[in-house]
Amino acid sequence: MDNIMKKLEKTLVPFGSKLATNNVLSSIRDGIAAVMPIIMVGSLALIIKNFPTATDPTKDKWAQFLAGDGQGFADFLVKIWYASFGIMALVSVFGIAYNYAQRKGVDGFSSAVIALASYIVTLPLAVTQLDKKTFSTGIDFGQLGSNGLFGAILVGVISSVIFTFFVKHKITIKMPDTVPPAVANSFMALIPGFVILVFWNLVATLLAKTDLHSINNMMETLLGKPLESFGGSLIGVIVVATLTSLFWFVGVHGGNITGAIMGPIYLNMMANNLKNYQAHKFLENIVTTPFMDMFVYLGGGGATLGLVIVLTLFAKSKQNKTMKPLVMVP
Protein backbone atom coordinates (compact mmCIF):
# COMPACT_ATOMS: atom_id res chain seq x y z
CA MET A 1 0.00 0.00 0.00
CA ASP A 2 2.83 2.39 0.84
CA ASN A 3 4.44 1.71 -2.55
CA ILE A 4 1.14 2.43 -4.32
CA MET A 5 0.75 5.67 -2.38
CA LYS A 6 4.27 6.76 -3.23
CA LYS A 7 3.75 6.01 -6.94
CA LEU A 8 0.45 7.88 -7.01
CA GLU A 9 1.93 10.86 -5.21
CA LYS A 10 4.93 10.91 -7.53
CA THR A 11 2.70 10.80 -10.61
CA LEU A 12 -0.49 12.63 -9.72
CA VAL A 13 0.62 15.36 -7.31
CA PRO A 14 2.88 17.27 -9.76
CA PHE A 15 0.37 16.83 -12.59
CA GLY A 16 -2.60 17.81 -10.43
CA SER A 17 -0.78 20.79 -8.94
CA LYS A 18 0.04 22.13 -12.41
CA LEU A 19 -3.56 21.77 -13.52
CA ALA A 20 -4.92 23.30 -10.31
CA THR A 21 -2.68 26.35 -10.69
CA ASN A 22 -3.14 26.68 -14.45
CA ASN A 23 -4.46 30.18 -15.13
CA VAL A 24 -6.48 29.20 -18.18
CA LEU A 25 -8.29 26.26 -16.57
CA SER A 26 -8.88 28.19 -13.34
CA SER A 27 -10.27 31.15 -15.29
CA ILE A 28 -12.62 28.88 -17.26
CA ARG A 29 -13.80 27.25 -14.04
CA ASP A 30 -14.45 30.53 -12.24
CA GLY A 31 -15.90 32.21 -15.33
CA ILE A 32 -18.41 29.40 -15.84
CA ALA A 33 -19.25 29.49 -12.12
CA ALA A 34 -20.52 33.05 -12.60
CA VAL A 35 -23.36 31.59 -14.69
CA MET A 36 -24.75 29.39 -11.91
CA PRO A 37 -26.81 31.99 -9.96
CA ILE A 38 -28.81 33.06 -13.01
CA ILE A 39 -29.13 29.41 -14.13
CA MET A 40 -30.79 28.57 -10.80
CA VAL A 41 -33.23 31.47 -11.22
CA GLY A 42 -33.98 30.44 -14.81
CA SER A 43 -34.55 26.84 -13.76
CA LEU A 44 -37.05 27.96 -11.13
CA ALA A 45 -38.94 30.05 -13.69
CA LEU A 46 -39.03 27.07 -16.04
CA ILE A 47 -40.41 24.77 -13.34
CA ILE A 48 -43.17 27.27 -12.51
CA LYS A 49 -44.06 27.69 -16.19
CA ASN A 50 -44.20 23.96 -16.92
CA PHE A 51 -45.55 22.71 -13.59
CA PRO A 52 -47.82 19.75 -14.48
CA THR A 53 -51.29 19.67 -12.94
CA ALA A 54 -52.70 16.92 -15.20
CA THR A 55 -51.41 14.10 -17.40
CA ASP A 56 -53.70 15.24 -20.19
CA PRO A 57 -52.46 18.60 -21.57
CA THR A 58 -56.03 19.58 -22.48
CA LYS A 59 -56.97 19.35 -18.80
CA ASP A 60 -53.91 21.08 -17.44
CA LYS A 61 -55.45 24.02 -15.55
CA TRP A 62 -52.12 25.70 -14.85
CA ALA A 63 -51.12 25.68 -18.54
CA GLN A 64 -54.55 27.01 -19.48
CA PHE A 65 -54.24 29.76 -16.88
CA LEU A 66 -50.84 30.82 -18.24
CA ALA A 67 -52.14 30.76 -21.82
CA GLY A 68 -55.31 32.71 -21.12
CA ASP A 69 -56.20 34.30 -17.80
CA GLY A 70 -52.58 34.58 -16.69
CA GLN A 71 -52.45 38.11 -18.14
CA GLY A 72 -49.02 37.62 -19.67
CA PHE A 73 -47.53 35.67 -16.74
CA ALA A 74 -46.17 33.05 -19.18
CA ASP A 75 -44.28 35.79 -21.06
CA PHE A 76 -43.01 37.07 -17.71
CA LEU A 77 -41.50 33.64 -16.96
CA VAL A 78 -40.11 33.21 -20.49
CA LYS A 79 -38.27 36.53 -20.22
CA ILE A 80 -36.57 35.26 -17.07
CA TRP A 81 -35.48 32.17 -19.00
CA TYR A 82 -34.04 34.34 -21.78
CA ALA A 83 -32.24 36.46 -19.18
CA SER A 84 -30.60 33.35 -17.66
CA PHE A 85 -30.12 30.36 -19.95
CA GLY A 86 -30.41 32.64 -22.96
CA ILE A 87 -27.25 34.65 -22.13
CA MET A 88 -25.08 31.84 -20.77
CA ALA A 89 -22.33 32.40 -23.34
CA LEU A 90 -22.25 36.17 -22.77
CA VAL A 91 -21.79 35.83 -19.02
CA SER A 92 -19.17 33.10 -19.52
CA VAL A 93 -16.99 35.04 -21.95
CA PHE A 94 -17.07 38.06 -19.63
CA GLY A 95 -16.28 35.98 -16.54
CA ILE A 96 -13.46 34.00 -18.16
CA ALA A 97 -11.69 37.07 -19.53
CA TYR A 98 -12.13 38.95 -16.25
CA ASN A 99 -10.71 36.11 -14.13
CA TYR A 100 -7.73 35.51 -16.41
CA ALA A 101 -6.74 39.17 -16.47
CA GLN A 102 -7.12 39.45 -12.70
CA ARG A 103 -4.85 36.45 -12.22
CA LYS A 104 -2.26 38.11 -14.43
CA GLY A 105 -2.45 41.36 -12.49
CA VAL A 106 -4.01 43.55 -15.19
CA ASP A 107 -7.34 45.34 -15.43
CA GLY A 108 -9.95 42.58 -15.46
CA PHE A 109 -12.91 44.79 -16.34
CA SER A 110 -11.34 46.18 -19.53
CA SER A 111 -10.27 42.68 -20.58
CA ALA A 112 -13.79 41.35 -19.99
CA VAL A 113 -15.49 44.16 -21.93
CA ILE A 114 -13.19 43.67 -24.92
CA ALA A 115 -13.75 39.89 -24.84
CA LEU A 116 -17.51 40.43 -24.71
CA ALA A 117 -17.38 42.77 -27.72
CA SER A 118 -15.14 40.28 -29.53
CA TYR A 119 -17.63 37.48 -28.98
CA ILE A 120 -20.41 39.63 -30.45
CA VAL A 121 -18.18 40.29 -33.48
CA THR A 122 -17.82 36.54 -34.14
CA LEU A 123 -21.58 35.89 -34.22
CA PRO A 124 -23.24 35.48 -37.61
CA LEU A 125 -26.10 37.84 -38.33
CA ALA A 126 -29.63 36.49 -38.23
CA VAL A 127 -31.16 36.47 -41.71
CA THR A 128 -34.81 37.11 -42.54
CA GLN A 129 -36.51 36.78 -45.91
CA LEU A 130 -39.28 39.21 -46.77
CA ASP A 131 -40.87 39.62 -50.21
CA LYS A 132 -38.17 37.39 -51.72
CA LYS A 133 -35.49 39.71 -50.38
CA THR A 134 -32.95 38.75 -47.72
CA PHE A 135 -32.28 41.06 -44.79
CA SER A 136 -29.77 40.86 -41.96
CA THR A 137 -31.77 41.63 -38.85
CA GLY A 138 -29.22 41.50 -36.05
CA ILE A 139 -27.73 38.84 -33.83
CA ASP A 140 -29.32 35.42 -33.50
CA PHE A 141 -30.39 35.22 -29.84
CA GLY A 142 -29.85 31.47 -29.90
CA GLN A 143 -26.09 32.03 -30.21
CA LEU A 144 -25.92 33.77 -26.83
CA GLY A 145 -26.94 30.73 -24.79
CA SER A 146 -25.61 27.19 -24.50
CA ASN A 147 -25.01 26.94 -28.27
CA GLY A 148 -22.22 29.48 -27.91
CA LEU A 149 -20.62 28.19 -24.72
CA PHE A 150 -17.55 26.57 -26.30
CA GLY A 151 -17.06 29.53 -28.61
CA ALA A 152 -17.29 31.84 -25.60
CA ILE A 153 -14.55 29.87 -23.84
CA LEU A 154 -12.24 30.16 -26.85
CA VAL A 155 -12.88 33.87 -27.39
CA GLY A 156 -12.65 34.66 -23.66
CA VAL A 157 -9.30 32.91 -23.21
CA ILE A 158 -7.58 34.15 -26.38
CA SER A 159 -8.85 37.73 -25.99
CA SER A 160 -7.63 37.98 -22.40
CA VAL A 161 -4.25 36.42 -23.29
CA ILE A 162 -3.72 39.02 -26.06
CA PHE A 163 -4.92 41.84 -23.81
CA THR A 164 -2.55 40.75 -21.03
CA PHE A 165 0.37 40.54 -23.49
CA PHE A 166 -0.20 44.12 -24.68
CA VAL A 167 -0.51 45.50 -21.15
CA LYS A 168 2.50 43.59 -19.78
CA HIS A 169 4.66 44.77 -22.69
CA LYS A 170 3.34 48.33 -22.31
CA ILE A 171 1.88 48.46 -25.83
CA THR A 172 -0.78 50.84 -24.58
CA ILE A 173 -1.59 54.53 -24.28
CA LYS A 174 -0.15 55.74 -20.98
CA MET A 175 -2.00 58.61 -19.31
CA PRO A 176 -0.54 60.91 -16.62
CA ASP A 177 -0.89 59.78 -13.01
CA THR A 178 -3.27 62.66 -12.33
CA VAL A 179 -5.90 61.11 -14.64
CA PRO A 180 -8.62 59.16 -12.76
CA PRO A 181 -8.05 55.34 -12.92
CA ALA A 182 -11.28 54.67 -14.82
CA VAL A 183 -10.29 57.09 -17.59
CA ALA A 184 -6.69 55.84 -17.63
CA ASN A 185 -7.85 52.23 -17.98
CA SER A 186 -10.10 53.18 -20.88
CA PHE A 187 -7.22 54.73 -22.81
CA MET A 188 -4.93 51.85 -21.81
CA ALA A 189 -7.39 49.40 -23.41
CA LEU A 190 -7.65 51.29 -26.74
CA ILE A 191 -4.76 49.67 -28.63
CA PRO A 192 -5.26 46.08 -27.42
CA GLY A 193 -9.01 46.48 -27.86
CA PHE A 194 -8.61 47.60 -31.46
CA VAL A 195 -6.23 44.74 -32.29
CA ILE A 196 -8.39 42.08 -30.60
CA LEU A 197 -11.63 43.21 -32.26
CA VAL A 198 -10.01 43.37 -35.72
CA PHE A 199 -8.46 39.94 -35.16
CA TRP A 200 -11.77 38.27 -34.28
CA ASN A 201 -13.55 40.07 -37.10
CA LEU A 202 -11.03 38.67 -39.57
CA VAL A 203 -11.39 35.17 -38.09
CA ALA A 204 -15.19 35.36 -38.30
CA THR A 205 -15.06 36.65 -41.89
CA LEU A 206 -12.76 33.83 -42.99
CA LEU A 207 -14.82 31.15 -41.21
CA ALA A 208 -17.99 32.46 -42.83
CA LYS A 209 -16.52 31.45 -46.20
CA THR A 210 -15.97 27.84 -45.08
CA ASP A 211 -18.27 24.95 -44.20
CA LEU A 212 -17.74 25.72 -40.50
CA HIS A 213 -19.56 29.08 -40.90
CA SER A 214 -18.77 30.51 -37.43
CA ILE A 215 -16.66 30.19 -34.29
CA ASN A 216 -19.54 28.61 -32.38
CA ASN A 217 -20.24 26.05 -35.09
CA MET A 218 -16.54 25.22 -35.38
CA MET A 219 -16.12 24.69 -31.64
CA GLU A 220 -19.31 22.65 -31.38
CA THR A 221 -18.24 20.42 -34.28
CA LEU A 222 -14.57 19.96 -33.38
CA LEU A 223 -14.77 20.00 -29.59
CA GLY A 224 -18.29 20.11 -28.17
CA LYS A 225 -19.79 16.98 -29.71
CA PRO A 226 -16.79 14.67 -29.07
CA LEU A 227 -16.46 15.86 -25.46
CA GLU A 228 -20.19 15.50 -24.85
CA SER A 229 -20.10 11.96 -26.26
CA PHE A 230 -17.30 11.08 -23.86
CA GLY A 231 -18.58 13.00 -20.84
CA GLY A 232 -22.12 11.67 -21.21
CA SER A 233 -21.08 8.02 -21.45
CA LEU A 234 -20.73 5.50 -18.62
CA ILE A 235 -17.00 5.21 -19.36
CA GLY A 236 -16.66 8.99 -19.18
CA VAL A 237 -18.40 9.19 -15.80
CA ILE A 238 -16.20 6.40 -14.42
CA VAL A 239 -13.02 8.06 -15.70
CA VAL A 240 -13.97 11.49 -14.30
CA ALA A 241 -15.09 10.09 -10.93
CA THR A 242 -11.96 7.95 -10.65
CA LEU A 243 -9.61 10.81 -11.49
CA THR A 244 -11.41 13.14 -9.05
CA SER A 245 -11.05 10.62 -6.23
CA LEU A 246 -7.43 9.85 -7.08
CA PHE A 247 -6.50 13.52 -6.96
CA TRP A 248 -8.23 13.86 -3.57
CA PHE A 249 -6.44 10.69 -2.41
CA VAL A 250 -3.03 12.30 -2.92
CA GLY A 251 -4.04 15.65 -1.42
CA VAL A 252 -5.00 17.63 -4.54
CA HIS A 253 -8.45 19.25 -4.95
CA GLY A 254 -9.91 16.78 -7.47
CA GLY A 255 -13.16 18.66 -8.01
CA ASN A 256 -11.37 21.84 -9.08
CA ILE A 257 -9.28 19.97 -11.64
CA THR A 258 -11.90 17.79 -13.31
CA GLY A 259 -14.59 20.46 -12.85
CA ALA A 260 -12.62 23.04 -14.84
CA ILE A 261 -12.61 20.67 -17.82
CA MET A 262 -15.97 18.92 -17.50
CA GLY A 263 -18.04 21.76 -16.02
CA PRO A 264 -18.76 23.51 -19.34
CA ILE A 265 -19.61 20.16 -20.95
CA TYR A 266 -22.11 19.17 -18.25
CA LEU A 267 -23.63 22.66 -18.27
CA ASN A 268 -24.13 22.53 -22.03
CA MET A 269 -25.72 19.07 -21.81
CA MET A 270 -28.08 20.33 -19.11
CA ALA A 271 -29.09 23.25 -21.34
CA ASN A 272 -29.75 20.84 -24.23
CA ASN A 273 -32.01 18.81 -21.95
CA LEU A 274 -33.85 22.01 -21.14
CA LYS A 275 -34.48 22.72 -24.83
CA ASN A 276 -35.85 19.21 -25.33
CA TYR A 277 -38.02 19.56 -22.24
CA GLN A 278 -39.51 22.80 -23.55
CA ALA A 279 -40.22 21.09 -26.88
CA HIS A 280 -41.76 18.09 -25.07
CA LYS A 281 -39.03 15.81 -26.42
CA PHE A 282 -37.03 13.03 -24.80
CA LEU A 283 -34.21 14.25 -22.51
CA GLU A 284 -31.17 12.77 -24.22
CA ASN A 285 -28.46 13.51 -21.63
CA ILE A 286 -28.42 11.58 -18.37
CA VAL A 287 -25.09 12.96 -17.21
CA THR A 288 -25.35 16.64 -16.26
CA THR A 289 -24.13 18.79 -13.37
CA PRO A 290 -27.10 17.85 -11.10
CA PHE A 291 -26.58 14.15 -11.91
CA MET A 292 -22.92 14.31 -10.88
CA ASP A 293 -23.76 16.30 -7.74
CA MET A 294 -26.48 13.87 -6.63
CA PHE A 295 -24.95 10.51 -7.53
CA VAL A 296 -21.17 11.00 -7.64
CA TYR A 297 -20.24 13.93 -5.39
CA LEU A 298 -22.99 13.71 -2.75
CA GLY A 299 -21.18 14.41 0.50
CA GLY A 300 -17.89 14.82 -1.34
CA GLY A 301 -15.86 13.08 -4.05
CA GLY A 302 -16.82 9.43 -4.26
CA ALA A 303 -20.29 9.98 -2.70
CA THR A 304 -18.69 10.30 0.75
CA LEU A 305 -22.07 10.75 2.43
CA GLY A 306 -22.62 7.00 2.07
CA LEU A 307 -19.38 6.31 3.95
CA VAL A 308 -20.39 8.72 6.72
CA ILE A 309 -23.77 6.98 7.12
CA VAL A 310 -22.13 3.54 7.26
CA LEU A 311 -19.66 4.78 9.89
CA THR A 312 -22.51 6.21 11.96
CA LEU A 313 -24.68 3.08 11.84
CA PHE A 314 -22.22 0.20 11.79
CA ALA A 315 -18.83 1.36 13.10
CA LYS A 316 -17.36 -1.08 15.61
CA SER A 317 -13.69 -0.17 15.93
CA LYS A 318 -12.67 2.43 18.50
CA GLN A 319 -11.17 4.65 15.80
CA ASN A 320 -14.32 4.67 13.67
CA LYS A 321 -16.57 5.18 16.68
CA THR A 322 -14.49 8.23 17.55
CA MET A 323 -14.97 9.51 14.01
CA LYS A 324 -18.79 9.23 14.14
CA PRO A 325 -19.59 12.48 15.99
CA LEU A 326 -16.81 14.30 14.17
CA VAL A 327 -18.00 13.55 10.63
CA MET A 328 -21.78 13.11 10.82
CA VAL A 329 -22.81 16.59 11.96
CA PRO A 330 -20.58 18.54 9.53
Side-chain angles (χ1 to χ4, degrees):
M1 187 64 182
D2 289 340
N3 289 333
I4 295 175
M5 274 292 296
K6 288 178 181 178
K7 288 181 180 179
L8 286 174
E9 288 178 354
K10 187 177 180 180
T11 305
L12 289 178
V13 170
F15 177 68
S17 298
K18 287 182 180 180
L19 288 180
T21 56
N22 183 275
N23 287 322
V24 172
L25 288 178
S26 298
S27 299
I28 293 173
R29 180 196 65 213
D30 295 342
I32 296 294
V35 179
M36 296 314 296
I38 60 173
I39 291 297
M40 298 301 292
V41 175
S43 300
L44 181 62
L46 186 69
I47 291 172
I48 295 172
K49 181 180 182 298
N50 294 278
F51 194 82
T53 59
T55 55
D56 184 355
T58 61
K59 298 179 181 179
D60 193 327
K61 299 297 184 182
W62 181 245
Q64 293 173 10
F65 167 75
L66 291 179
D69 298 333
Q71 298 295 323
F73 189 50
D75 292 337
F76 176 85
L77 295 171
V78 168
K79 288 178 72 175
I80 293 177
W81 182 89
Y82 275 118
S84 53
F85 282 90
I87 61 167
M88 190 186 299
L90 286 183
V91 177
S92 297
V93 70
F94 188 95
I96 291 167
Y98 179 87
N99 279 282
Y100 183 87
Q102 288 288 93
R103 282 183 165 81
K104 288 294 187 176
V106 300
D107 181 31
F109 187 76
S110 295
S111 173
V113 170
I114 292 170
L116 179 62
S118 299
Y119 181 71
I120 298 296
V121 163
T122 66
L123 299 180
L125 294 176
V127 176
T128 302
Q129 284 190 330
L130 186 63
D131 296 331
K132 298 182 180 181
K133 294 182 179 180
T134 301
F135 298 91
S136 296
T137 56
I139 296 170
D140 182 3
F141 204 97
Q143 298 291 321
L144 306 182
S146 61
N147 288 347
L149 191 56
F150 292 104
I153 292 172
L154 180 69
V155 174
V157 170
I158 294 180
S159 297
S160 54
V161 168
I162 297 174
F163 179 84
T164 300
F165 174 85
F166 271 73
V167 175
K168 290 287 187 181
H169 288 80
K170 302 187 185 304
I171 311 175
T172 60
I173 298 175
K174 175 66 175 176
M175 300 298 289
D177 294 336
T178 54
V179 175
V183 177
N185 288 337
S186 296
F187 277 91
M188 178 268 298
L190 275 176
I191 295 176
F194 175 80
V195 172
I196 293 168
L197 283 170
V198 169
F199 166 75
W200 283 116
N201 202 3
L202 289 172
V203 171
T205 302
L206 292 174
L207 282 175
K209 300 181 183 301
T210 69
D211 293 336
L212 293 173
H213 301 299
S214 67
I215 291 283
N216 286 341
N217 192 55
M218 179 188 74
M219 292 298 292
E220 185 66 23
T221 302
L222 300 181
L223 188 62
K225 291 179 180 177
L227 285 177
E228 286 179 14
S229 297
F230 169 75
S233 66
L234 177 60
I235 297 297
V237 173
I238 292 173
V239 169
V240 171
T242 301
L243 286 175
T244 302
S245 297
L246 283 175
F247 281 123
W248 276 116
F249 190 63
V250 296
V252 179
H253 197 304
N256 277 354
I257 295 172
T258 57
I261 299 170
M262 301 305 298
I265 300 168
Y266 293 147
L267 189 62
N268 192 48
M269 294 166 75
M270 183 172 68
N272 289 335
N273 275 354
L274 175 62
K275 292 177 182 177
N276 287 344
Y277 178 75
Q278 288 178 307
H280 304 289
K281 295 180 180 179
F282 179 73
L283 305 187
E284 298 175 351
N285 301 309
I286 295 174
V287 183
T288 60
T289 300
F291 175 88
M292 298 296 289
D293 289 340
M294 291 301 297
F295 298 108
V296 179
Y297 301 135
L298 191 63
T304 320
L305 185 59
L307 174 62
V308 174
I309 293 172
V310 170
L311 279 175
T312 304
L313 297 178
F314 305 110
K316 294 182 179 180
S317 71
K318 183 178 179 181
Q319 180 182 359
N320 287 339
K321 285 182 178 180
T322 304
M323 288 290 292
K324 287 187 344 185
L326 297 176
V327 299
M328 189 58 194
V329 176

